[in-house]
Amino acid sequence: QVQLVESGGGLVQPGGSLRLSCAASRNDFSIYVMGWYRQAPGKGRELVAEISKTGATNYADSAKGRFTISRDVSKNAVYLEMKNLEPEDTAVYYCLLDAEGVVDGDYHPRFWGQGTQVTVSS
């Protein structure tokens, strides 16, 4: 099984910055899409940003201009640079890796990170 390890969450004041990291435990497969989702208490999980195998990116409107997603294809890793954080950004952030092809007998599987807490508060 593929494991995604997330890090970088924490407590930050409004206007601060954080950098989230997510890396797969294996790199013997290729990716289709990697991205970041978040879920606030009492709310559904929503897309924050994603990056495809071509390098094309897609951002939620709330993230545009403040967040930047990037990748390291050699490590099957994805990062999220978050700037000018707001209290509304408070949530558990989850990394997603959508693999291309067959991995351990499973076609086009999705792997989720364990989640990392981001809290924006004074």
Side-chain angles (χ1 to χ4, degrees):
Q1 183 66 4
V2 175
Q3 181 181 359
L4 299 182
V5 180
E6 300 182 30
S7 63
L11 175 64
V12 64
Q13 293 187 337
S17 300
L18 285 173
R19 184 176 189 263
L20 305 184
S21 299
C22 173
S25 60
R26 293 161 50 184
N27 63 355
D28 58 343
F29 60 92
S30 60
I31 60 172
Y32 181 64
V33 172
M34 297 190 74
W36 290 93
Y37 291 71
R38 68 186 181 189
Q39 187 168 19
K43 298 184 180 298
R45 187 172 299 185
E46 65 175 1
L47 172 71
V48 179
E50 61 183 2
I51 183 167
S52 74
K53 65 179 182 179
T54 68
T57 57
N58 184 40
Y59 294 91
D61 288 341
S62 61
K64 292 179 180 177
R66 300 188 300 125
F67 295 0
T68 302
I69 189 169
S70 60
R71 61 174 180 165
D72 185 337
V73 296
S74 67
K75 299 178 180 179
N76 278 355
V78 65
Y79 310 93
L80 186 67
E81 297 279 357
M82 303 186 293
K83 299 179 179 179
N84 195 24
L85 285 161
E86 305 169 348
E88 292 74 20
D89 296 315
T90 296
V92 177
Y93 284 69
Y94 297 92
C95 172
L96 170 68
L97 190 159
D98 193 345
E100 189 173 48
V102 178
V103 180
D104 295 334
D106 192 8
Y107 177 72
H108 204 81
R110 289 180 173 181
F111 304 101
W112 289 94
Q114 81 283 0
T116 184
Q117 177 70 50
V118 172
T119 302
V120 185
S121 176
S122 298

